[in-house]
């Protein structure tokens, strides 16, 4: 009986340890906007503070002097927003959150690298603006968004699971969605929406190399 009791205690300790390792909740640090903290991100090294975190509370604003990749794997939920400053972060290269499933809003403006968030399932607003001549955006698992805007030369986009965009779904070859004059041409963009069933408005502008749309999509207005 004594041996059985010791074995049970050890097993229980391992189980508790495993449960503790599964979830780690962290808060951003920095300026306080009411009850939500805001981290102004200037370098990739600042992300080291979130090593091992699975839930992140607060906002992150990527500053214009940020130089390097943004890699925050392991985080599954962000109760807040991640965004660049309005003027963009042109030295932001790869943006990667491999395990992210939910976030309030994501705005990445004026970036020059790829976006890799393959497990993100839903969010409010998604805005991706590319400044380089090519870029890849992988949001394979995204099923629902309020607004989606993908602008610039995204030569590969993966939105194969996207079913519903509550308001506007926008793909543009230019950063501003304006039509270039004769002296400039739109870079080629790809639009891949094989599962899209409903959007209040769909806008596609530019030189579209590939456009895949679910044949039974409804409630959509589009132009190119």
């Amino acid at each position: 009986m004594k041996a059985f009791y010791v074995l049970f205690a050890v097993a229980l300790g391992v189980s508790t340890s495993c449960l503790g390792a599964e979830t780690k909740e962290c808060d951003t640090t920095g300026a306080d906007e009411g009850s939500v903290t805001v981290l102004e991100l200037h370098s990739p090294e600042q992300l080291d503070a979130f090593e091992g975190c699975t839930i992140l509370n607060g906002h992150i604003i990527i500053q214009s002097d940020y130089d390097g990749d943004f890699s925050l794997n392991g985080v599954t939920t962000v109760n807040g927003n991640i965004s660049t400053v309005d003027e963009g972060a042109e030295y932001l290269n790869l943006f990667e959150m491999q395990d992210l499933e939910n976030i309030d809003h994501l705005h990445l403006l004026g970036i020059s690298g790829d976006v890799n968030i393959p497990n993100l399932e839903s969010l409010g607003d998604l805005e991706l603006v590319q400044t380089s001549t090519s870029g890849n955006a992988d949001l394979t698992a995204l099923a629902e968004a309020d607004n989606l805007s993908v602008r610039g030369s995204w030569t590969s986009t993966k939105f194969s699971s996207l079913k519903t965009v509550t308001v506007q779904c926008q793909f543009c070859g230019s950063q501003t969605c304006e039509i270039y004059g004769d002296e400039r041409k739109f870079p080629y963009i790809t639009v891949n929406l094989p599962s899209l069933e409903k959007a209040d408005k769909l806008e596609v502008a530019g030189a579209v190399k590939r456009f895949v749309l679910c044949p039974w999509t409804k409630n959509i207005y589009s132009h190119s």
Side-chain angles (χ1 to χ4, degrees), residues 159-185:
F159 291 92
S160 55
S161 300
L162 186 63
K163 292 184 177 181
T164 302
V165 179
T166 307
V167 185
Q168 179 169 328
C169 183
Q170 179 185 64
F171 286 81
C172 298
S174 69
Q175 297 173 33
T176 60
C177 284
E178 295 178 354
I179 302 298
Y180 292 141
D182 294 337
E183 71 281 1
R184 296 185 64 188
K185 294 182 178 180

Side-chain angles (χ1 to χ4, degrees), residues 134-221:
S134 65
N136 301 314
D138 184 357
L139 291 101
T140 305
L142 184 64
E144 184 177 1
D146 291 338
N147 287 285
L148 187 149
S149 181
V150 179
R151 309 194 303 273
S153 185
W154 295 98
T155 49
S156 174
T157 57
K158 297 179 180 178
F159 291 92
S160 55
S161 300
L162 186 63
K163 292 184 177 181
T164 302
V165 179
T166 307
V167 185
Q168 179 169 328
C169 183
Q170 179 185 64
F171 286 81
C172 298
S174 69
Q175 297 173 33
T176 60
C177 284
E178 295 178 354
I179 302 298
Y180 292 141
D182 294 337
E183 71 281 1
R184 296 185 64 188
K185 294 182 178 180
F186 272 110
Y188 283 109
I189 60 173
T190 62
V191 181
N192 188 26
L193 302 169
S195 302
L196 186 65
E197 296 178 358
K198 186 176 181 180
D200 188 62
K201 180 179 180 181
L202 172 63
E203 178 183 6
V204 178
V208 181
K209 186 175 183 179
R210 186 168 183 263
F211 188 7
V212 177
L213 186 65
C214 175
W216 52 83
T217 302
K218 56 187 177 180
N219 294 342
I220 278 184
Y221 163 77

Side-chain angles (χ1 to χ4, degrees), residues 90-118:
E90 62 177 321
Y91 302 112
L92 170 60
N93 298 320
L94 172 68
F95 183 95
E96 180 178 65
M97 297 185 74
Q98 290 271 5
D99 304 298
L100 183 66
E101 297 176 358
N102 296 285
I103 186 173
D104 290 350
H105 304 288
L106 179 62
H107 298 271
L108 301 178
L109 311 180
I111 64 175
S112 60
D114 297 339
V115 173
N116 188 18
I117 322 174

Side-chain angles (χ1 to χ4, degrees), residues 43-127:
S43 70
E45 288 73 24
Q46 289 176 266
L47 296 174
D48 293 343
F50 305 121
E51 181 71 27
C53 300
T54 56
I55 299 174
L56 193 60
N57 299 315
H59 304 315
I60 295 177
I61 301 179
I62 304 170
Q63 303 299 302
S64 58
D65 60 350
Y66 189 93
D67 190 350
D69 295 341
F70 181 109
S71 182
L72 199 55
N73 297 320
V75 174
T76 60
T77 300
V78 176
N79 296 314
N81 308 331
I82 297 179
S83 60
T84 59
V85 290
D86 290 342
E87 59 268 31
E90 62 177 321
Y91 302 112
L92 170 60
N93 298 320
L94 172 68
F95 183 95
E96 180 178 65
M97 297 185 74
Q98 290 271 5
D99 304 298
L100 183 66
E101 297 176 358
N102 296 285
I103 186 173
D104 290 350
H105 304 288
L106 179 62
H107 298 271
L108 301 178
L109 311 180
I111 64 175
S112 60
D114 297 339
V115 173
N116 188 18
I117 322 174
N119 291 302
L120 180 64
E121 298 174 355
S122 65
L123 81 168
D125 296 340
L126 173 65
E127 188 176 17

